[in-house]
């Protein structure tokens, strides 16, 4: 209860979402974050592959 004597929803303060909509919003945010992470990792893989292709293989050069 708050100071006026009204009941207060303390579930959110205790770490429990206040509603099903909150869970839906959190799920959507988690999916979006997963998608963004996957896109970022894929970009890093492409960049790494491109850098590897740009660097000649040192083992193929004749020594001396």
């Amino acid at each position: 209860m708050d100071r006026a004597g009204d009941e207060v929803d303390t579930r959110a303060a205790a770490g429990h979402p206040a509603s099903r909509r909150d869970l839906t919003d959190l799920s959507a945010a988690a999916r979006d974050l997963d998608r963004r992470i996957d896109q970022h990792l894929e970009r890093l893989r492409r960049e790494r592959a491109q850098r590897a292709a740009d660097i000649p293989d040192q083992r193929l050069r004749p020594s001396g």
Side-chain angles (χ1 to χ4, degrees):
M1 292 203 178
D2 65 7
R3 292 182 185 186
D6 296 325
E7 288 188 19
V8 177
D9 183 6
T10 58
R11 290 180 297 166
H16 301 288
S19 71
R20 181 177 281 283
R21 182 171 181 218
D22 290 344
L23 288 175
T24 302
D25 291 345
L26 287 173
S27 294
R31 283 191 302 273
D32 183 54
L33 184 59
D34 283 344
R35 181 183 54 80
R36 290 171 54 197
I37 290 170
D38 288 342
Q39 288 174 343
H40 182 69
L41 290 174
E42 184 58 35
R43 190 191 72 192
L44 290 175
R45 287 184 196 105
R46 283 192 311 266
E47 290 174 357
R48 182 174 58 188
Q50 183 60 44
R51 280 194 309 273
D54 291 344
I55 299 172
D57 189 357
Q58 298 295 320
R59 293 173 292 176
L60 297 178
R61 287 189 177 167
S63 60

